[in-house]
Amino acid sequence: MEITPNDIKFVRGITHKFGYPLDEIEKYAYENYIPIAKPEVADFLSFIVKLKKPNNILEIGTAIGYSTIIMAKAYSEVSVVTIERDINLAEIAKENFKKAKVEDRIELICGEAQQVLPNLTKMYDLIFVDAAKGQYIEFYKELKRLLSKEGVILWDNILYKGYVVNEKNVKHKRRTIVYRMREFIEILYQDKTLYTVILPLGDGLAVSFKEE
């Protein structure tokens, strides 16, 4: 027996509810077609932060701050640096940080991650990547440099709407992303300094642990 859509629906129905303001942020995201972490991925984010208790988190792809707030609230001692290229989404995120009363522990950098990452020097215990899927390969080397020993990187949407596994129905404009994501997965699994597993959460979540 394999996991079915009904199983996924069941899991999503019992995930933890984060309350205000995350419930409002989630509603706003769905109403305005803004991608945010799926409920089971959001739950796992909170779990891994509570478990690992990282000092510093780096996030690529803030959007309106949903996952940022989840991570900040999961551990009161953590500091989060988050990068967002869309200035309008970044401004909404800043307001949401204030509503959640976590703005003092979050630094939001507005810009393209490819340009921002080379200028970062701090080491991060946990990195969450939820940005342009075709750019994961470009982020890879810089994020390895910034990952502390025994640090963890979470790569969201690694299976890209199921197209990475089944490319028969992939539209032409998405094929490049699918091929690049397949290439990226191969790179992750060949990297001897990272131990990577892919979890069937949301749109696929790869978890990489730095062993060196």
Side-chain angles (χ1 to χ4, degrees):
M1 295 291 291
E2 296 182 353
I3 292 175
T4 67
N6 282 336
D7 297 321
I8 296 172
K9 184 177 180 181
F10 170 77
V11 170
R12 289 181 178 174
I14 61 171
T15 53
H16 292 90
K17 308 305 177 187
F18 297 107
Y20 178 85
L22 286 163
D23 51 357
E24 290 188 359
I25 296 171
E26 184 178 13
K27 184 173 182 290
Y28 179 88
Y30 290 145
E31 289 176 348
N32 291 274
Y33 305 100
I34 299 170
I36 60 172
K38 296 290 191 297
E40 62 272 30
V41 174
D43 222 4
F44 185 79
L45 274 179
S46 181
F47 169 82
I48 199 70
V49 172
K50 290 177 182 294
L51 177 69
K52 191 166 180 58
K53 293 181 170 55
N55 293 316
N56 300 298
I57 293 176
L58 174 63
E59 179 184 42
I60 316 298
T62 318
I64 56 174
Y66 181 72
S67 52
T68 325
I69 294 170
I70 285 173
M71 292 187 289
K73 279 188 165 291
Y75 180 47
S76 61
E77 300 299 317
V78 73
S79 296
V80 184
V81 172
T82 183
I83 303 170
E84 174 55 51
R85 66 182 181 180
D86 187 316
I87 190 169
N88 294 319
L89 293 181
E91 290 302 317
I92 296 173
K94 288 178 182 178
E95 291 303 314
N96 287 333
F97 297 156
K98 291 178 182 177
K99 289 179 183 178
K101 299 181 180 179
V102 293
E103 72 274 17
D104 59 324
R105 294 188 286 117
I106 298 175
E107 177 187 356
L108 194 158
I109 302 173
C110 193
E112 293 286 349
Q114 298 96 315
Q115 298 173 5
V116 174
L117 291 175
N119 297 314
L120 299 181
T121 57
K122 185 186 296 184
M123 302 297 285
Y124 297 90
D125 308 308
L126 180 66
I127 299 175
F128 179 52
V129 188
D130 187 13
K133 312 313 164 194
Q135 302 300 317
Y136 278 22
I137 292 177
E138 279 68 30
F139 300 153
Y140 168 72
K141 286 186 178 180
E142 287 295 335
L143 293 184
K144 274 190 63 177
R145 177 182 65 84
L146 296 168
L147 187 64
S148 64
K149 184 178 180 180
E150 298 188 350
V152 172
I153 306 179
L154 306 175
W155 313 87
D156 202 11
N157 309 114
I158 197 74
L159 298 179
Y160 191 55
K161 305 179 187 298
Y163 294 138
V164 170
V165 178
N166 182 6
E167 62 175 306
K168 291 182 180 179
N169 298 319
V170 180
K171 293 182 180 179
H172 180 73
K173 65 179 181 179
R174 289 178 171 171
R175 286 177 187 168
T176 299
I177 297 177
V178 171
Y179 296 149
R180 286 176 68 82
M181 194 60 86
R182 283 183 174 179
E183 180 185 357
F184 176 62
I185 291 172
E186 186 175 347
I187 289 171
L188 282 181
Y189 273 83
Q190 289 179 347
D191 191 324
K192 301 304 182 183
T193 65
L194 295 176
Y195 190 90
T196 299
V197 296
I198 293 178
L199 305 178
L201 298 176
D203 197 17
L205 183 72
V207 182
S208 299
F209 171 72
K210 191 172 187 179
E211 293 192 296
E212 64 177 5

